[in-house]
Amino acid sequence: EAGVAQSPRYKIIEKRQSVAFWCNPISGHATLYWYQQILGQGPKLLIQFQNNGVVDDSQLPKDRFSAERLKGVDSTLKIQPAKLEDSAVYLCASSLRTGGAPNTEAFFGQGTRLTVV
Amino acid sequence: GIQVEQSPPDLILQEGANSTLRCNFSDSVNNLQWFHQNPWGQLINLFYIPSGTKQNGRLSATTVATERYSLLYISSSQTTDSGVYFCAAANTPLVFGKGTRLSVIA
Protein backbone atom coordinates (compact mmCIF):
# COMPACT_ATOMS: atom_id res chain seq x y z
CA GLU A 1 0.00 0.00 0.00
CA ALA A 2 1.45 3.38 -1.01
CA GLY A 3 1.93 5.88 1.78
CA VAL A 4 1.24 9.60 1.93
CA ALA A 5 3.17 11.39 -0.80
CA GLN A 6 4.41 14.96 -0.47
CA SER A 7 6.37 17.26 -2.73
CA PRO A 8 8.69 19.00 -2.87
CA ARG A 9 10.97 17.56 -0.17
CA TYR A 10 12.89 20.80 0.26
CA LYS A 11 12.26 24.43 -0.66
CA ILE A 12 14.26 27.59 -0.08
CA ILE A 13 12.58 30.94 -0.81
CA GLU A 14 13.10 34.57 0.06
CA LYS A 15 10.73 36.34 2.43
CA ARG A 16 7.66 37.82 0.76
CA GLN A 17 7.76 35.17 -1.97
CA SER A 18 5.02 32.57 -2.36
CA VAL A 19 5.30 28.79 -2.12
CA ALA A 20 3.00 25.79 -2.55
CA PHE A 21 3.15 22.27 -1.19
CA TRP A 22 1.34 19.23 -2.55
CA CYS A 23 0.01 16.14 -0.77
CA ASN A 24 -1.50 12.91 -2.06
CA PRO A 25 -3.05 10.89 0.79
CA ILE A 26 -3.38 7.14 1.10
CA SER A 27 -6.05 5.86 -1.29
CA GLY A 28 -9.48 5.80 0.31
CA HIS A 29 -8.57 8.01 3.27
CA ALA A 30 -11.31 10.55 3.85
CA THR A 31 -9.48 12.77 6.33
CA LEU A 32 -6.41 14.84 5.46
CA TYR A 33 -4.35 17.01 7.80
CA TRP A 34 -1.64 19.62 7.32
CA TYR A 35 0.72 20.12 10.27
CA GLN A 36 3.55 22.60 10.80
CA GLN A 37 6.60 21.47 12.77
CA ILE A 38 9.06 24.13 13.89
CA LEU A 39 12.52 22.88 14.84
CA GLY A 40 12.55 21.40 18.34
CA GLN A 41 8.78 21.32 18.72
CA GLY A 42 5.97 18.86 18.15
CA PRO A 43 3.81 19.12 15.03
CA LYS A 44 0.96 21.63 15.23
CA LEU A 45 -2.25 21.31 13.24
CA LEU A 46 -2.87 23.91 10.54
CA ILE A 47 -5.98 22.49 8.85
CA GLN A 48 -8.09 19.34 8.74
CA PHE A 49 -10.22 18.25 5.76
CA GLN A 50 -12.84 15.55 5.61
CA ASN A 51 -13.33 14.67 1.97
CA ASN A 52 -13.25 18.14 0.36
CA GLY A 53 -14.71 20.05 3.31
CA VAL A 54 -12.80 21.92 6.01
CA VAL A 55 -13.35 20.49 9.51
CA ASP A 56 -10.90 22.65 11.48
CA ASP A 57 -8.82 25.61 10.30
CA SER A 58 -8.79 27.53 13.57
CA GLN A 59 -4.96 27.58 13.73
CA LEU A 60 -4.35 28.45 10.09
CA PRO A 61 -2.96 32.01 9.65
CA LYS A 62 -5.53 32.88 7.02
CA ASP A 63 -3.95 36.21 6.10
CA ARG A 64 -1.08 34.33 4.43
CA PHE A 65 -1.89 30.60 4.40
CA SER A 66 -4.49 28.89 2.24
CA ALA A 67 -5.29 25.25 1.56
CA GLU A 68 -7.64 23.35 -0.67
CA ARG A 69 -8.58 19.75 -1.29
CA LEU A 70 -10.29 19.54 -4.63
CA LYS A 71 -12.32 16.40 -5.37
CA GLY A 72 -11.56 15.11 -1.86
CA VAL A 73 -8.22 13.58 -2.80
CA ASP A 74 -5.03 15.66 -3.36
CA SER A 75 -4.42 18.79 -1.36
CA THR A 76 -2.26 21.90 -1.73
CA LEU A 77 -1.07 24.27 0.98
CA LYS A 78 0.05 27.74 -0.06
CA ILE A 79 1.90 30.51 1.75
CA GLN A 80 1.79 34.03 0.34
CA PRO A 81 3.73 36.09 1.29
CA ALA A 82 6.21 34.00 3.31
CA LYS A 83 7.82 35.28 6.49
CA LEU A 84 11.04 34.18 8.17
CA GLU A 85 9.04 32.50 10.96
CA ASP A 86 7.37 30.19 8.42
CA SER A 87 10.61 28.19 8.21
CA ALA A 88 9.52 24.74 9.32
CA VAL A 89 8.67 21.25 8.14
CA TYR A 90 5.17 20.96 6.69
CA LEU A 91 3.68 17.52 7.22
CA CYS A 92 0.66 16.02 5.54
CA ALA A 93 -1.22 13.13 7.13
CA SER A 94 -4.30 11.09 6.29
CA SER A 95 -6.65 8.72 8.07
CA LEU A 96 -9.67 6.62 7.19
CA ARG A 97 -11.95 8.54 9.55
CA THR A 98 -15.34 9.19 8.01
CA GLY A 99 -18.48 10.83 9.34
CA GLY A 100 -19.04 10.33 13.02
CA ALA A 101 -16.74 7.35 13.38
CA PRO A 102 -14.03 7.52 16.05
CA ASN A 103 -10.61 8.67 15.01
CA THR A 104 -8.59 6.10 13.19
CA GLU A 105 -4.87 5.78 12.84
CA ALA A 106 -3.14 8.67 11.06
CA PHE A 107 -0.20 8.19 8.70
CA PHE A 108 2.28 10.93 7.80
CA GLY A 109 4.19 11.80 4.68
CA GLN A 110 7.91 12.59 4.64
CA GLY A 111 7.27 16.32 4.90
CA THR A 112 8.48 19.40 3.07
CA ARG A 113 11.30 21.33 4.72
CA LEU A 114 10.82 25.06 4.03
CA THR A 115 13.56 27.59 4.63
CA VAL A 116 12.67 31.27 4.28
CA VAL A 117 15.69 33.58 3.95
CA GLY B 1 -8.42 21.78 23.98
CA ILE B 2 -6.58 18.67 25.03
CA GLN B 3 -3.08 19.00 26.50
CA VAL B 4 -0.39 16.35 26.00
CA GLU B 5 2.72 16.19 28.18
CA GLN B 6 5.68 13.89 27.65
CA SER B 7 8.51 12.95 29.97
CA PRO B 8 11.41 12.92 30.16
CA PRO B 9 12.29 15.57 27.55
CA ASP B 10 15.72 14.06 26.98
CA LEU B 11 17.14 10.60 27.62
CA ILE B 12 20.61 9.19 27.04
CA LEU B 13 21.04 5.41 27.19
CA GLN B 14 23.84 2.96 26.82
CA GLU B 15 23.18 0.40 24.10
CA GLY B 16 21.33 -2.58 25.58
CA ALA B 17 19.56 -0.62 28.31
CA ASN B 18 15.80 -0.46 28.80
CA SER B 19 13.69 2.70 29.05
CA THR B 20 10.17 3.93 29.71
CA LEU B 21 8.68 7.05 28.13
CA ARG B 22 5.53 8.57 29.56
CA CYS B 23 2.66 10.51 28.01
CA ASN B 24 -0.04 12.24 30.07
CA PHE B 25 -3.15 13.72 28.48
CA SER B 26 -5.66 16.10 29.97
CA ASP B 27 -8.96 14.64 28.76
CA SER B 28 -10.48 11.38 27.60
CA VAL B 29 -9.48 10.47 24.06
CA ASN B 30 -10.47 7.90 21.46
CA ASN B 31 -7.14 7.90 19.66
CA LEU B 32 -3.60 7.72 20.98
CA GLN B 33 -0.56 7.12 18.83
CA TRP B 34 3.19 6.82 19.41
CA PHE B 35 5.58 7.91 16.67
CA HIS B 36 9.33 7.79 16.16
CA GLN B 37 10.75 10.72 14.20
CA ASN B 38 13.92 9.63 12.48
CA PRO B 39 16.88 11.94 11.73
CA TRP B 40 15.38 12.73 8.31
CA GLY B 41 12.18 14.03 9.90
CA GLN B 42 9.87 11.18 8.93
CA LEU B 43 7.21 10.28 11.51
CA ILE B 44 7.11 6.51 11.77
CA ASN B 45 3.98 4.95 13.30
CA LEU B 46 4.85 2.80 16.29
CA PHE B 47 1.52 2.13 17.98
CA TYR B 48 -2.14 3.05 17.65
CA ILE B 49 -3.25 2.37 21.20
CA PRO B 50 -6.27 4.21 22.63
CA SER B 51 -6.37 1.60 25.42
CA GLY B 52 -4.72 -1.63 26.49
CA THR B 53 -1.28 -3.06 25.76
CA LYS B 54 0.47 -3.88 22.49
CA GLN B 55 3.89 -5.25 21.67
CA ASN B 56 6.01 -5.09 18.55
CA GLY B 57 9.42 -6.67 18.90
CA ARG B 58 11.49 -4.76 21.45
CA LEU B 59 8.84 -2.08 21.79
CA SER B 60 5.63 -2.22 23.74
CA ALA B 61 3.04 0.32 24.80
CA THR B 62 0.33 0.53 27.42
CA THR B 63 -2.47 3.08 27.64
CA VAL B 64 -4.58 3.43 30.78
CA ALA B 65 -7.39 5.55 29.41
CA THR B 66 -9.20 5.94 32.75
CA GLU B 67 -6.06 7.48 34.29
CA ARG B 68 -5.13 9.43 31.14
CA TYR B 69 -1.63 8.21 30.52
CA SER B 70 0.32 6.02 28.14
CA LEU B 71 3.75 4.40 28.45
CA LEU B 72 6.19 3.35 25.74
CA TYR B 73 8.74 0.70 26.71
CA ILE B 74 11.95 0.18 24.77
CA SER B 75 13.96 -2.88 25.71
CA SER B 76 17.53 -3.74 24.75
CA SER B 77 17.95 -0.35 23.07
CA GLN B 78 20.01 -0.02 19.89
CA THR B 79 21.69 2.99 18.32
CA THR B 80 19.04 2.93 15.59
CA ASP B 81 16.43 3.69 18.27
CA SER B 82 17.83 7.21 18.57
CA GLY B 83 15.56 10.06 17.57
CA VAL B 84 12.53 11.83 18.94
CA TYR B 85 9.51 9.91 20.22
CA PHE B 86 6.16 11.66 20.05
CA CYS B 87 2.91 10.83 21.71
CA ALA B 88 -0.23 12.23 20.08
CA ALA B 89 -3.73 12.08 21.48
CA ALA B 90 -7.08 13.07 20.09
CA ASN B 91 -10.72 13.09 19.89
CA THR B 92 -10.05 15.03 16.73
CA PRO B 93 -7.49 15.99 15.48
CA LEU B 94 -4.19 14.61 16.82
CA VAL B 95 -2.49 16.87 19.38
CA PHE B 96 1.21 16.21 19.85
CA GLY B 97 3.37 16.44 22.93
CA LYS B 98 6.78 18.08 22.77
CA GLY B 99 8.52 14.73 22.41
CA THR B 100 11.27 12.79 24.16
CA ARG B 101 14.68 13.01 22.50
CA LEU B 102 16.43 9.65 22.90
CA SER B 103 20.11 9.15 22.28
CA VAL B 104 21.47 5.60 22.42
CA ILE B 105 25.24 5.41 22.58
CA ALA B 106 27.36 2.38 21.74
Side-chain angles (χ1 to χ4, degrees), chain B residues 90-105:
Chain B
N91 290 308
T92 178
L94 280 176
V95 175
F96 282 77
K98 294 183 178 180
T100 293
R101 181 172 298 276
L102 175 65
S103 299
V104 181
I105 54 178

Side-chain angles (χ1 to χ4, degrees), chain A residues 4 6 23 25-26 29 31-35 91-95 106-109, chain B residues 94:
Chain A
V4 177
Q6 290 189 246
C23 173
I26 294 173
H29 279 198
T31 301
L32 185 147
Y33 312 85
W34 283 102
Y35 282 81
L91 295 161
C92 179
S94 69
S95 71
F107 296 86
F108 283 77
Chain B
L94 280 176

Side-chain angles (χ1 to χ4, degrees), chain A residues 14-101:
Chain A
E14 295 183 349
K15 59 184 179 183
R16 292 187 289 274
Q17 286 186 325
S18 63
V19 64
F21 313 127
W22 173 83
C23 173
N24 181 237
I26 294 173
S27 177
H29 279 198
T31 301
L32 185 147
Y33 312 85
W34 283 102
Y35 282 81
Q36 180 193 57
Q37 186 177 19
I38 293 172
L39 187 64
Q41 300 181 18
K44 183 188 80 171
L45 180 75
L46 291 175
I47 189 167
Q48 177 185 351
F49 292 94
Q50 185 161 308
N51 297 308
N52 59 353
V54 175
V55 173
D56 184 351
D57 64 356
S58 58
Q59 298 187 75
L60 187 73
K62 298 181 186 64
D63 58 332
R64 298 184 300 106
F65 286 65
S66 64
E68 60 182 8
R69 190 183 184 196
L70 299 177
K71 301 180 181 178
V73 182
D74 293 5
S75 177
T76 56
L77 176 69
K78 298 179 181 178
I79 307 175
Q80 181 179 12
K83 294 185 175 182
L84 296 177
E85 58 261 37
D86 297 332
S87 295
V89 176
Y90 291 84
L91 295 161
C92 179
S94 69
S95 71
L96 269 173
R97 184 175 185 271
T98 59

